[in-house]
Amino acid sequence: MTSPASLARPVADEGILATTLSQFHSAADAIGLEDRYRAYLTSWKTVFQTQFPVEMDDGSIKIFEGYRVLHDTARGPTKGGIRYSANVTLDDVRALSMLMTWKCAVVNIPFGGAKGGVIVDPSTLSARELQNLTRRFTTELEPIIGPDKDIPAPDMGTNAQTMAWMMDTYSMAHGYTIPGVVTGKPVAIGGSEGRAEATGRGILYVLQEHLRADGGLAGRTVSVQGFGNVGSVAARLIHEDGAKVTYISDVHTALHNPDGINVSAAYAHVGRGGTLREWAAETHGATEVDPAEVLTADVDILVPAAVESVLTADNARQVRARLIIEGANGPTTEEADAIFEERGLTVIPDILANAGGVTVSYFEWVQARQYLQWTEARVNEELQRLISTAYRAVAARAVQMGPTCTQREAANIIGIERVVEALELRGYYP
Ligand code: GLU
């Protein structure tokens, strides 16, 4: 099998698609993956692109561009977030959909990978405009998504409210409420307890598992980049588990306190609608530093949990943390990854580290389809079970493959093997 020409076109050298494909090929090389699987796994089932009108508050009509890309369905319906960002590109969405395939396979949940995005800076839109945009984009997606086909969720720039509008729009078109069409909904309309915190909590569980034989998190110093849904929860839970979080940052402000930041207090302040800068000024809990310092800080553990491609050839040699755990999708470029490997740093890859979100999305989907609600304790317990099992499988596979195998390569290998197994069992249609 060969890749169709339109999808096999060359991709830019830098950027997350090139990185994702190259990571795929090195894992495929390590297990001697047959060419026919390689071609299959580097093609995309559906690449959907739309330009659609949205009525703005001043009565004007603005055209927006959006994408939804389904990578693979061998293990089940496709799953993955929808992001609203001015920087969304179709190639990024293709890459992120492939990462979702491996991510779902690594935590062993019955989904393939998908991703979507709209080119928009959501902070420039009013709530009404965001709702109009979401409802129209959902209408365009209607033929593709569905509880048995493709199930969106929040990602950068989207949240539970976005999912509520998507669920409602899809349900209106069908004439009855269909809670299983999206995950990450508010709990009041079929969302899951624990979903909002799940990605950050998954990072905590993976770290605990990684450090289990080595004294745990207590007393370690940590730097967390990003204070959105992933970074803020991860930082708070890591702090509450006894580590010293000495750096945190959001898009505007980077904060440092050598004695450890009271992240619970910062989290509560931001939860009330405040900013990190105000919090630091009011409490004198930390001083402002150059944002670049957060990544090269003198700490034990670095958690990049903001956006992709922040660890690059330019700063990888300055990174002082010996352990990097990826909260964002694709924060490490290929060049940086090679430098970390050469320097003997450990990178726990995105497709394992931040899989807590999609794992609890799976629980939400299961609950929605059974019309029942799990307790938060049960959600967290099941999350810990799945993600810790995944961590141990990846760590064991890395050891088995030998000293040059990184955790990223091991995670990719497990993802690829599980998808190939499903493919083989199902066979090719017709
Ligand atoms: N957007 C999240 C991710 O990148 C969650 C996806 C989901 O819950 O489906 O993993």
Side-chain angles (χ1 to χ4, degrees):
M1 197 196 294
T2 53
S3 296
S6 62
L7 295 178
R9 72 187 195 286
V11 297
D13 285 348
E14 61 253 26
I16 186 168
L17 181 56
T19 303
T20 304
L21 283 170
S22 140
Q23 286 163 356
F24 166 82
H25 286 297
S26 56
D29 288 347
I31 52 171
L33 187 71
E34 282 174 53
D35 281 350
R36 62 201 199 106
Y37 295 126
R38 240 181 243 256
Y40 176 92
L41 294 173
T42 53
S43 58
W44 278 262
K45 177 183 153 55
T46 304
V47 177
F48 176 82
Q49 177 170 8
T50 176
Q51 293 178 326
F52 57 97
V54 176
E55 189 174 348
M56 308 303 278
D57 288 345
D58 64 3
S60 65
I61 299 293
K62 211 169 153 184
I63 304 295
F64 289 88
E65 178 153 322
Y67 314 104
R68 183 75 182 167
V69 177
L70 319 186
H71 175 240
D72 186 67
T73 53
R75 287 174 50 87
T78 48
K79 189 84 194 79
I82 290 190
R83 57 173 59 181
Y84 289 173
S85 158
N87 303 320
V88 166
T89 69
L90 180 54
D91 275 354
D92 288 356
V93 176
R94 276 156 36 106
L96 293 162
S97 72
M98 180 186 270
L99 284 177
M100 286 307 303
T101 300
W102 315 139
K103 191 186 294 188
C104 293
V106 165
V107 281
N108 214 355
I109 58 178
F111 293 131
K115 203 75 167 197
V118 177
I119 306 174
V120 58
D121 173 355
S123 70
T124 61
L125 265 51
S126 71
R128 167 124 234 116
E129 290 168 339
L130 266 179
Q131 179 170 174
N132 288 350
L133 179 146
T134 302
R135 287 189 182 279
R136 181 57 190 248
F137 185 50
T138 306
T139 305
E140 301 296 336
L141 291 179
E142 209 270 338
I144 299 174
I145 61 175
D148 291 308
K149 293 199 282 189
D150 174 43
I151 306 120
D155 198 83
M156 262 163 55
T158 54
N159 56 28
Q161 178 61 72
T162 323
M163 294 305 117
W165 290 328
M166 289 194 76
M167 187 276 267
D168 184 69
T169 307
Y170 185 85
S171 296
M172 287 300 117
H174 289 254
Y176 58 100
T177 299
I178 306 174
V181 66
V182 291
T183 59
K185 298 178 295 296
V187 174
I189 53 167
S192 178
E193 297 288 351
R195 174 62 185 87
E197 290 201 347
T199 313
R201 186 170 287 282
I203 290 172
L204 173 76
Y205 291 154
V206 170
L207 270 177
Q208 286 175 337
E209 204 57 38
H210 181 76
L211 299 169
R212 186 172 298 284
D214 202 18
L217 261 169
R220 310 221 182 220
T221 53
V222 186
S223 176
V224 182
Q225 185 195 41
F227 212 70
N229 177 257
V230 182
S232 67
V233 174
R236 197 195 85 221
L237 295 176
I238 288 169
H239 160 76
E240 289 168 2
D241 202 48
K244 225 200 254 186
V245 179
T246 52
Y247 291 83
I248 55 174
S249 69
D250 64 13
V251 264
H252 307 291
T253 320
L255 300 178
H256 173 51
N257 182 343
D259 300 322
I261 295 166
N262 182 352
V263 187
S264 311
Y267 182 88
H269 182 89
V270 170
R272 289 191 294 269
T275 66
L276 280 186
R277 178 169 289 150
E278 282 162 16
W279 175 77
E282 277 168 25
T283 63
H284 309 287
T287 48
E288 239 182 282
V289 291
D290 176 2
E293 226 182 279
V294 173
L295 295 173
T296 55
D298 188 9
V299 289
D300 301 317
I301 303 166
L302 171 63
V303 190
V307 294
E308 57 268 14
S309 307
V310 294
L311 294 167
T312 66
D314 292 334
N315 60 9
R317 292 203 185 276
Q318 282 79 54
V319 169
R320 277 178 282 181
R322 303 298 300 171
L323 173 62
I324 299 165
I325 175 159
E326 296 182 332
N329 288 313
T332 310
T333 65
E334 219 183 323
E335 295 84 357
D337 227 10
I339 293 169
F340 294 151
E341 199 182 335
E342 174 202 314
R343 294 183 52 210
L345 272 52
T346 300
V347 180
I348 304 184
D350 45 10
I351 58 171
L352 169 62
N354 73 24
V358 75
T359 301
V360 176
S361 274
Y362 166 54
F363 301 156
E364 178 175 332
W365 180 76
V366 167
Q367 292 169 75
R369 312 203 72 187
Q370 298 178 340
Y371 295 95
L372 55 76
Q373 198 138 32
W374 295 4
T375 62
E376 189 178 350
R378 176 167 178 199
V379 168
N380 291 346
E381 197 183 304
E382 292 284 331
L383 166 61
Q384 185 164 26
R385 190 172 63 78
L386 259 64
I387 207 160
S388 303
T389 303
Y391 170 82
R392 289 192 294 271
V394 169
R397 192 62 199 256
V399 170
Q400 184 209 334
M401 295 297 295
T404 60
C405 184
T406 61
Q407 291 220 4
R408 189 185 315 281
E409 193 164 292
N412 273 298
I413 288 173
I414 290 176
I416 292 168
E417 283 178 345
R418 287 184 177 162
V419 175
V420 166
E421 183 188 8
L423 261 178
E424 269 310 292
L425 288 166
R426 291 178 65 152
Y428 297 94
Y429 179 85

